[in-house]
Amino acid sequence: MRAETERLILRPWEDRDLDPFAALNSDPEVMRFFPAMRTREETAALMDYTRAMLSESGMSFLAVEEKASGDLVGMVGLAPVKPPMPCAPTVEIGWRLAKHHWGKGYASEAAKAWLAYGFGTMALPEIVAFTYVGNEPSRCVMQRLGMTRDTVDDFEHPNIVEGHTLRPHVLYRIKAAAFAR
Ligand SMILES: CC(C)(COP(=O)(O)OP(=O)(O)OC[C@H]1O[C@@H](n2cnc3c(N)ncnc32)[C@H](O)[C@@H]1OP(=O)(O)O)[C@@H](O)C(=O)NCCC(=O)NCCS
């Protein structure tokens, strides 16, 4: 998948992305709502994982590049959600941007293009997003996209150890019809 928005290019990962993506994944502020940061090797493994996901499912978390500078902005995309996640099976949208690209509307701009792809090309009925309950910036992106939360969908993340601060999660949903409106 390759797409362009007004200010961004959404594309598969390239080898030149490893340095900036590794820097983003080892930035404590960017990663403050994740249980762990990633080493350079773990970032390379994540890029490989997303490449495999793209060829298997036609969707993935891909690179976001700033048109004006060619800079790597971060990662945005769609991914299949599988058990043991309580909302599975479904498709999630997610985002992670380098700090110097926050506050420009880039996450929302890239996510809108991914929603259009998910509801258009992939004909998905619904897309979800989830995050740690205290991740306000991410919840704001979900709300800007028109996604809505029902407290009955709140859940404890099954892959985070019991008692961990980051375990309580909120779930937001958007249906194809609501996106098209
Ligand atoms: C979550 C995250 C992607 C949100 O990034 P963001 O830049 O705040 O989100 P958006 O792209 O929607 O940008 C909206 C902001 O840009 C501002 N903005 C500036 N120019 C804009 C423009 N041309 N268009 C739209 N918004 C613009 C908006 O006013 C808003 O600012 P505000 O939050 O101060 O009101 C970012 O905080 C992040 O990467 N966090 C770390 C990783 C993470 O937690 N990911 C989620 C895990 S579930």
Side-chain angles (χ1 to χ4, degrees):
M1 190 260 185
R2 191 184 164 90
E4 287 195 21
T5 65
E6 188 191 340
R7 298 176 292 171
L8 305 170
I9 298 170
L10 316 181
R11 56 161 176 79
W13 296 100
E14 295 173 9
D15 292 342
R16 66 184 165 110
D17 298 320
L18 179 57
D19 284 345
F21 193 34
L24 180 168
N25 282 325
S26 60
D27 180 333
E29 205 179 338
V30 173
M31 299 302 281
R32 70 193 189 283
F33 297 122
F34 294 87
M37 293 186 285
R38 282 179 188 263
T39 63
R40 185 181 171 82
E41 290 68 33
E42 287 166 340
T43 293
L46 174 62
M47 287 165 69
D48 285 344
Y49 174 77
T50 61
R51 285 176 179 126
M53 190 198 299
L54 184 62
S55 49
E56 278 162 26
S57 64
M59 64 179 93
S60 196
F61 294 124
L62 297 193
V64 179
E65 179 182 319
E66 185 176 44
K67 271 188 194 172
S69 65
D71 262 13
L72 180 75
V73 169
M75 173 177 86
V76 178
L78 300 175
V81 182
K82 298 176 182 164
M85 295 298 287
C87 59
T90 186
V91 169
E92 69 161 314
I93 186 162
W95 34 74
R96 189 185 305 169
L97 267 48
K99 212 166 36 198
H100 56 283
H101 287 300
W102 294 356
K104 301 177 182 176
Y106 281 175
S108 300
E109 187 171 320
K112 264 184 220 151
W114 271 112
L115 289 180
Y117 179 80
F119 291 131
T121 307
M122 303 212 69
L124 300 170
E126 182 182 70
I127 294 173
V128 305
F130 47 84
T131 191
Y132 164 61
V133 63
N135 189 345
E136 280 303 327
S138 190
R139 293 180 62 169
C140 284
V141 177
M142 294 169 198
Q143 288 157 19
R144 269 181 217 114
L145 294 171
M147 304 183 87
T148 54
R149 170 202 180 197
D150 186 332
T151 52
V152 300
D153 288 325
D154 290 359
F155 67 103
E156 298 288 305
H157 200 300
N159 298 336
I160 300 180
V161 291
E162 264 180 62
H164 196 295
T165 323
L166 298 177
R167 200 160 188 251
H169 273 58
V170 287
L171 182 91
Y172 284 70
R173 299 176 187 269
I174 184 166
K175 301 228 184 276
F179 180 69
R181 246 188 279 125

